[in-house]
């Protein structure tokens, strides 16, 4: 566990692979996305390459997951920070930690899809634009 202070002096603890409960994730997800969490978190995380969470005390305020193909490709998913804690470097630190862990666990590539408005954030995390394709299935 790594601890740092953000710019409001709130102690933020970063944990790699903490396997949070759905009860921990649900309030963060609702605050950040405006929707209820609809996945099976235990199922998802046991199949992930890595994930990381940020905590202010016992409250989870950040989350990111890395799925993978079982080989060299990893996929960054669900970068989420509670709106109360945004713009403090939490998401960037979460991405850094999972990128390091993915590299150490054998991934050669870390992919991410994002909306255009997040381009500056992901570039600041070290991602570069590439051509990609997308089919909406639902």
């Amino acid at each position: 566990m790594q601890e740092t202070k953000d710019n409001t002096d709130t102690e933020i603890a970063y944990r790699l692979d903490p396997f949070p409960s759905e009860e921990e994730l649900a309030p963060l997800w609702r605050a950040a996305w405006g929707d209820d969490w609809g996945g099976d978190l235990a199922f998802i995380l046991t199949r992930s390459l890595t994930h990381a969470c940020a905590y202010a005390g016992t409250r989870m305020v950040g989350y990111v997951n890395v799925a993978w193909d079982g080989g060299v490709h990893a996929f960054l998913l669900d970068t989420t920070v509670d709106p109360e804690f945004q713009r403090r470097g939490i998401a960037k630190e979460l991405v850094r930690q999972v990128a390091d862990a993915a590299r150490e666990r054998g991934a050669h590539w870390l992919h991410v899809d994002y909306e255009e408005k997040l381009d500056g954030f992901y570039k600041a995390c070290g991602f570069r634009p590439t051509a990609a394709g997308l089919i909406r299935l639902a």
Side-chain angles (χ1 to χ4, degrees):
M1 174 172 65
Q2 177 183 359
E3 293 191 16
T4 61
K5 287 193 175 190
D6 66 18
N7 61 8
T8 62
D9 289 332
T10 301
E11 197 75 28
I12 300 295
Y14 296 90
R15 298 182 188 141
L16 191 63
D17 299 324
F19 291 90
S21 69
E22 294 203 14
E23 291 76 23
E24 287 179 279
L25 180 62
L28 166 61
W29 195 268
R30 176 157 272 300
W33 299 105
D35 292 320
D36 290 330
W37 167 254
D40 181 339
L41 190 59
F43 178 84
I44 291 166
L45 295 181
T46 58
R47 286 151 181 83
S48 294
L49 180 58
T50 189
H51 64 280
C53 298
Y55 295 86
T58 59
R59 177 180 170 194
M60 187 164 59
V61 297
Y63 165 81
V64 68
N65 182 33
V66 177
W68 67 317
D69 66 353
V72 298
H73 293 272
F75 307 88
L76 190 71
L77 299 169
D78 300 330
T79 306
T80 305
V81 174
D82 187 300
E84 243 182 86
F85 290 81
Q86 290 177 357
R87 304 226 175 262
R88 301 178 191 183
I90 295 170
K92 191 172 180 182
E93 178 61 20
L94 288 169
V95 171
R96 186 194 68 73
Q97 287 194 17
V98 295
D100 288 349
R103 183 181 305 105
E104 290 168 7
R105 294 173 188 184
H108 294 186
W109 300 98
L110 183 58
H111 304 261
V112 66
D113 292 325
Y114 56 85
E115 296 177 347
E116 191 173 331
K117 67 182 180 181
L118 297 172
D119 190 57
F121 168 74
Y122 284 108
K123 282 182 179 175
C125 289
F127 289 91
R128 61 179 176 79
T130 62
L134 178 68
I135 297 173
R136 183 179 177 96
L137 297 175

